[in-house]
């Protein structure tokens, strides 16, 4: 008999009174000698279907082996439920067991810590929490594509292997086919790369932005959505070594338009989650973070605050004078720490903040310089619980200014000539941003650790599964 997904069974009233077949994994089994109740989940929804088993119909010996985690197929009539907590249930007529589940199943007990579950990341996917998180992650990916497609952006694929080591963000992972046990050096003691796979030193990309700019200055508006890699040794709940990044890049976009795009995009994603992930959000709101749904709605309710970096620093310094304790110092010219960003968002304004016009020394070479000679048109979108969720900027489109900055920072020209060509041939004002997909998922799910919103996290010391 053809299988029906549980999500469809629970939403299609015409199935009541019909024979249905469900397949899934057992969450719990309880009951007595006469009647047993199996809660079955197939991953299509957070909700289980209750399978009511009359022990006269099904062999008791077969039933007692069915424990949490077992996989089975059940056939029977779908009826209105007498019990509480579900609208329909199945009066089971037959069960076929696909796989029993021995009692060393790591996800058996309720209330395991997330740290424990991370060590069993291959099995944690079957729990309610991770089911909810990864269904939401899927819907967020759809939201991203929908937003850009509807707004005339082209999905543009930038390379993952790159020969430029100047992308300007974090340490890179090297890519080589060289035999590391037999490395040849030149006279100066440098490794020879001319006989390596690409004939030069290559790495995994930290960002698709520079190639994204080539796309935007030809197609008008593009976005990337793919993995990026940073070998930064930062063991925080907000950093991964392999994370997915969304990087739109738009010709003829300037600072105000950039900030408007950032806000509209992220609100679209949050609204999409509220519209498409109701059951999973309600579960997470109940089990993980009681403020979650309210926080999501809060983001939609208000306009984001726009604040220059300089104004932000002034607010933080005033707060300090009034007794607020920060671990790291606040002074004009310093990079803001996550505690500073969260103070502005959570305590001072109580809504998302876009900081812009940052000191040029703490930002990348490609950001458009302001006339004050001190600041550049970079923007960071700061969110409650998360801190920085988006980093963006207007790009320096003036050839001479960009070249001077590249030289001032000693960035090797062998890496930059093609990038400079965009400014040499028909340059145009343009802007873009990068959003860490997992930071968005953190926000939308209320999970506390970025390792718990990507199926198989890569962090310093961990590349399991
Ligand atoms: P942070 O200051 O938080 O380390 P960044 O300023 O280095 O971030 P950008 O280079 O601006 O980050 O990258 C764009 C976006 O990518 C960030 O706003 C953030 O959402 C995300 N991001 C950056 N680094 C990581 C990481 N290691 N893991 C997950 N997401 C990241
Ligand atoms: Mn940033």
């Amino acid at each position: 008999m053809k299988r029906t997904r549980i999500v469809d069974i629970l939403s299609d009233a015409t199935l009541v009174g019909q024979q249905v077949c469900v397949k899934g994994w057992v969450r719990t089994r309880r009951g007595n000698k006469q009647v047993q109740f199996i809660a079955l989940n197939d991953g299509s929804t957070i909700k289980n279907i209750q399978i009511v088993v009359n022990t006269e119909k099904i062999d008791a010996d077969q039933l007692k082996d069915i424990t949490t985690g077992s996989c089975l197929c059940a056939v029977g009539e779908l009826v209105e439920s007498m019990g509480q907590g579900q609208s329909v249930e199945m009066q089971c007529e037959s069960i076929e067991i696909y796989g029993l589940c021995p009692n060393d199943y790591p996800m058996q007990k309720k209330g395991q810590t997330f740290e424990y579950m991370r060590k069993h990341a291959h099995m944690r996917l079957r729990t309610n929490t991770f089911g909810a998180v990864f269904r939401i992650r899927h819907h967020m990916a759809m939201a991203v594509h929908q937003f850009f497609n509807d707004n005339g952006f082209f999905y543009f694929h930038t390379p993952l292997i790159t020969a430029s080591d100047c992308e300007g963000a974090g340490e890179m992972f090297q890519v080589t086919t060289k035999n590391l046990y037999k490395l040849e050096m030149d006279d100066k003691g440098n490794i020879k790369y001319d006989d390596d796979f690409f004939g030069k030193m290559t790495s995994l990309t930290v960002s698709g932005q520079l190639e994204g700019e080539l796309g935007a200055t030809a197609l008008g508006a593009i976005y990337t959505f793919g993995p990026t890699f940073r070998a930064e040794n930062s063991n925080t709940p907000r950093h991964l070594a392999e994370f997915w990044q969304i990087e739109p890049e738009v010709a003829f976009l300037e600072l105000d338009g950039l900030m408007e795009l950032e806000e509209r995009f992220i609100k679209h994603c949050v609204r999409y989650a509220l519209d498409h992930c109701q059951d999973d959000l309600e579960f997470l709101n109940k089990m993980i973070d009681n403020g979650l749904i309210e926080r999501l709605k809060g983001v939609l309710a208000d306009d984001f605050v726009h604040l220059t970096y300089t104004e932000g620093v002034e607010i933080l310094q005033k707060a300090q004078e009034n007794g607020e304790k920060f671990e790291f110092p606040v002074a004009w010219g310093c990079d803001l720490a996550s505690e500073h960003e969260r103070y502005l968002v959570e305590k001072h304004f109580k809504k998302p903040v876009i900081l812009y016009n940052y000191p040029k020394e703490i930002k990348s070479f490609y950001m458009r310089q302001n006339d004050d000679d001190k600041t550049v048109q970079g923007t960071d979108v700061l969110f409650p619980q998360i801190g920085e969720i988006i980093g963006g900027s207007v790009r320096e489109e003036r050839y001479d200014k960009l070249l001077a900055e590249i030289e001032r920072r000693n960035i090797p020209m062998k890496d930059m000539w093609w990038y400079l060509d965009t400014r040499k041939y028909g340059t145009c004002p343009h802007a873009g941003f990068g959003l860490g997909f997992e930071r968005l998922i953190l926000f939308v799910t209320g999970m506390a650790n970025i390792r718990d919103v990507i199926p198989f996290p890569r962090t310093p010391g961990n590349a399991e599964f």
Side-chain angles (χ1 to χ4, degrees):
M1 195 181 169
K2 192 164 169 283
R3 165 195 174 218
T4 310
R5 293 187 317 152
I6 293 171
V7 67
D8 298 325
I9 286 186
L10 298 180
S11 63
D12 182 355
T14 66
L15 289 175
V16 175
Q18 309 265 321
Q19 284 275 314
V20 291
C21 164
V22 293
K23 302 183 179 187
W25 293 268
V26 173
R27 287 288 198 254
T28 56
R29 178 176 60 81
R30 61 191 174 82
N32 53 38
K33 280 212 178 87
Q34 285 80 43
V35 57
Q36 295 260 313
F37 301 95
I38 296 171
L40 198 73
N41 188 282
D42 67 0
S44 64
T45 162
I46 187 86
K47 292 184 176 155
N48 303 325
I49 180 135
Q50 169 150 283
I51 297 172
V52 184
V53 191
N54 189 321
T55 51
E56 277 169 17
K57 280 197 190 151
I58 286 158
D59 181 28
D61 274 350
Q62 190 194 14
L63 271 176
K64 85 172 176 356
D65 291 336
I66 299 175
T67 53
T68 297
S70 298
C71 185
L72 55 81
C73 166
V75 176
E77 187 188 340
L78 196 67
V79 298
E80 306 268 1
S81 176
M82 319 268 239
Q84 284 197 333
Q86 66 269 324
S87 55
V88 291
E89 61 192 21
M90 175 194 277
Q91 287 292 344
C92 184
E93 267 134 55
S94 70
I95 286 181
E96 181 188 346
I97 294 173
Y98 289 134
L100 293 174
C101 189
N103 61 15
D104 59 352
Y105 176 49
M107 296 297 134
Q108 191 154 236
K109 293 201 197 71
K110 288 202 162 155
Q112 307 276 24
T113 64
F114 286 130
E115 196 167 339
Y116 168 88
M117 289 202 262
R118 248 170 256 148
K119 295 203 180 86
H120 303 273
H122 61 310
M123 286 287 130
R124 68 178 180 168
L125 305 171
R126 292 195 197 167
T127 64
N128 284 331
T129 300
F130 287 95
V133 166
F134 295 124
R135 276 186 298 271
I136 292 174
R137 187 178 163 110
H138 158 80
H139 285 293
M140 287 298 87
M142 294 299 115
V144 167
H145 287 300
Q146 188 196 57
F147 177 86
F148 289 119
N149 186 54
D150 288 354
N151 284 279
F153 289 64
F154 298 106
Y155 185 22
F156 188 68
H157 295 108
T158 51
L160 300 190
I161 299 175
T162 174
S164 50
D165 58 6
C166 61
E167 285 167 343
E171 295 292 305
M172 303 178 89
F173 291 100
Q174 216 179 308
V175 174
T176 180
T177 53
K178 276 187 164 282
N179 181 346
L180 297 181
Y181 294 100
K182 286 194 209 146
L183 274 185
E184 274 181 72
M185 313 281 180
D186 66 14
D187 313 339
K188 295 186 193 125
N190 296 320
I191 296 165
K192 286 208 287 197
Y193 283 105
D194 48 358
D195 61 346
D196 200 356
F197 189 90
F198 294 108
K200 54 171 79 166
M201 185 173 151
T202 52
S203 311
L204 294 177
T205 188
V206 297
S207 156
Q209 179 200 317
L210 301 189
E211 290 92 348
E213 288 184 49
L214 302 181
T217 54
L219 302 172
I222 61 93
Y223 69 106
T224 72
F225 184 5
T228 53
F229 308 86
R230 295 189 188 177
E232 52 194 2
N233 207 343
S234 36
N235 254 309
T236 81
R238 281 183 297 279
H239 289 89
L240 290 164
E242 176 179 296
F243 66 101
W244 285 64
Q245 213 177 156
I246 296 144
E247 296 181 278
E249 193 70 36
V250 193
F252 317 117
L253 193 70
E254 298 184 42
L255 186 59
D256 287 338
L258 173 66
M259 293 195 275
E260 188 266 337
L261 179 68
E262 291 171 341
E263 177 166 347
R264 200 155 49 85
F265 168 66
I266 211 155
K267 281 182 167 169
H268 168 86
C269 294
V270 170
R271 196 176 303 113
Y272 194 99
L274 286 167
D275 289 347
H276 292 79
C277 310
Q278 203 185 344
D279 292 344
D280 287 324
L281 287 178
E282 276 167 15
F283 173 83
L284 294 170
N285 195 74
K286 191 162 130 212
M287 306 302 288
I288 303 291
D289 178 349
N290 297 145
L292 173 64
I293 291 180
E294 205 179 312
R295 204 159 51 243
L296 297 183
K297 290 183 174 161
V299 161
L300 298 183
D302 287 317
D303 290 343
F304 294 4
V305 175
H306 292 198
L307 195 73
T308 64
Y309 167 91
T310 304
E311 292 165 327
V313 167
E314 281 165 14
I315 290 172
L316 292 166
Q317 285 173 333
K318 267 214 190 89
Q320 224 168 12
E321 284 162 23
N322 294 331
E324 185 72 31
K325 294 263 175 298
F326 294 122
E327 192 184 332
F328 297 100
V330 200
W332 200 95
C334 293
D335 220 345
L336 298 184
S338 180
E339 56 172 345
H340 305 135
E341 299 173 341
R342 292 183 60 175
Y343 175 86
L344 291 172
V345 173
E346 290 165 25
K347 291 208 176 144
H348 191 84
F349 290 107
K350 300 197 170 63
K351 48 183 153 170
V353 173
I354 307 186
L355 274 190
Y356 65 100
N357 285 351
Y358 276 81
K360 79 173 180 192
E361 300 306 331
I362 60 171
K363 289 289 183 191
S364 300
F365 72 92
Y366 51 70
M367 295 194 185
R368 193 174 202 281
Q369 297 173 41
N370 285 315
D371 294 339
D372 63 11
D373 235 21
K374 287 194 309 212
T375 61
V376 290
Q377 293 183 352
T379 66
D380 277 6
V381 181
L382 311 179
F383 254 47
Q385 309 277 349
I386 310 291
E388 177 184 335
I389 192 161
I390 286 182
S393 74
V394 181
R395 319 305 188 189
E396 182 56 79
E397 87 285 10
R398 295 162 294 187
Y399 184 90
D400 295 338
K401 293 238 183 225
L402 183 61
L403 180 64
E405 199 55 26
I406 287 170
E407 284 173 346
R408 193 176 74 86
R409 297 188 190 222
N410 292 319
I411 298 171
M413 202 51 70
K414 70 170 177 31
D415 292 335
M416 292 323 296
W417 62 272
W418 55 272
Y419 185 69
L420 276 162
D421 271 2
T422 54
R423 278 57 170 177
K424 185 169 161 195
Y425 303 116
T427 192
C428 73
H430 62 286
F433 66 78
L435 166 97
F437 189 50
E438 287 75 17
R439 299 236 178 130
L440 175 68
I441 308 300
L442 269 182
F443 181 72
V444 169
T445 58
M447 298 294 283
N449 193 313
I450 200 163
R451 295 167 180 80
D452 298 332
V453 298
I454 187 167
F456 306 104
R458 270 82 182 98
T459 50
N462 180 46
E464 228 32 67
F465 312 110

